[in-house]
Amino acid sequence: MTIDDLEAWLRLAADRLHESAGRLTQLDQAIGDGDHGTNMDRGFSAIVAKLDAAREAATPAGLGADGSPDPAGLLRLAGKTLISTVGGAAGPLYGTAFLRAANAVATRSELSAEDAVAALDAAIAGIAGLGKATVGEKTMLDALNPALEAARAAVANGEDGPAVLAAAADAAEAGATATIPMLATKGRASYLGERSIGHQDPGATSSALLLRALADCSGAG
Ligand code: ADP
Ligand code: MG
């Protein structure tokens, strides 16, 4: 994936989060405070606004370490924007995920399937560290970790980039669905105790949405 593919991903993700804001908010109303849809919509709209401003000024967005645009620079821009514009738990968690992903691919001008695996691995470590969370606690990790495992398996099978990302998106969606019977032990949903059971986790749902958008971009590009 090139920096242009990544920009297309961020824009597609922003569109889909905007369309899905109502659904994400409904999910968060059931086991949280009902702001996840607006949180994600606000954050990704802010990312798109920065991308648009950079286009208008003809100054590339996402400058890397050497001052020219690269995938890591774009991921860093996304992470910083999410941290500064999204409140609640998801802003810092996703923001950290993007910053860690950027660090994992810091020297790359284009991202291979292996780079995508490394970026996802680093993103998950960032979320787990900041959220003090692990798999099975009904959080975004329950979509992202199965996605990482599926992507790793696909790479090991010698599949190409689009197939690796499609496998990751499929696993993330299955993982998000699998949060329904889970008991939440992290974040606001944990305050509900047993009453968190029977509802899909909003953060796992938005994580699956982000990975599906990534897969759809790579397939097209
Ligand atoms: P808030 O919970 O502050 O209202 P959001 O509603 O935007 O923030 O995000 C809630 C989502 O964040 C949850 O559905 C869950 O997936 C994720 N989350 C919350 N706390 C944690 C945590 N400690 N570790 C990992 N993910 C978490
Ligand atoms: Mg919330």
Side-chain angles (χ1 to χ4, degrees):
M1 299 194 94
T2 63
I3 186 169
D4 289 339
D5 296 329
L6 284 182
E7 177 164 345
W9 169 44
L10 293 171
R11 289 178 180 276
L12 180 64
D15 285 347
R16 292 195 182 165
L17 284 167
H18 185 71
E19 286 164 13
S20 303
R23 171 154 184 267
L24 292 172
T25 284
Q26 264 178 5
L27 292 174
D28 197 34
Q29 271 162 356
I31 57 169
D33 56 354
D35 63 354
H36 191 60
T38 44
N39 282 345
M40 297 302 288
D41 189 17
R42 183 182 332 111
F44 276 76
S45 299
I47 293 171
V48 168
K50 287 192 186 170
L51 296 173
D52 286 343
R55 282 216 173 162
E56 230 160 81
T59 49
L63 298 184
D66 69 352
S68 57
D70 67 12
L74 197 55
L75 293 170
R76 195 166 295 115
L77 175 145
K80 281 186 184 166
T81 307
L82 293 176
I83 289 171
S84 63
T85 60
V86 184
L93 290 168
Y94 274 125
T96 300
F98 274 91
L99 294 180
R100 293 292 187 87
N103 288 342
V105 297
T107 56
R108 307 285 192 278
S109 56
E110 286 200 18
L111 305 186
S112 66
E114 287 84 352
D115 292 328
V117 167
L120 186 55
D121 194 6
I124 288 170
I127 292 171
L130 183 62
K132 300 186 170 47
T134 181
V135 171
E137 296 195 281
K138 201 182 183 94
T139 71
M140 43 182 79
L141 292 177
D142 293 307
L144 296 173
N145 205 65
L148 174 63
E149 286 175 1
R152 269 211 183 109
V155 167
N157 271 344
E159 290 179 36
D160 65 4
V164 168
L165 294 177
D170 289 347
E173 285 168 359
T177 306
T179 63
I180 295 173
M182 288 181 185
L183 173 75
T185 50
K186 287 283 154 29
R188 279 180 201 280
S190 67
Y191 307 158
L192 290 178
E194 301 276 322
R195 279 180 295 136
S196 66
I197 294 173
H199 303 280
Q200 184 164 321
D201 180 61
T205 308
S206 59
S207 287
L209 183 155
L210 290 174
L211 289 175
R212 177 59 65 194
L214 183 61
D216 288 349
C217 280
S218 80

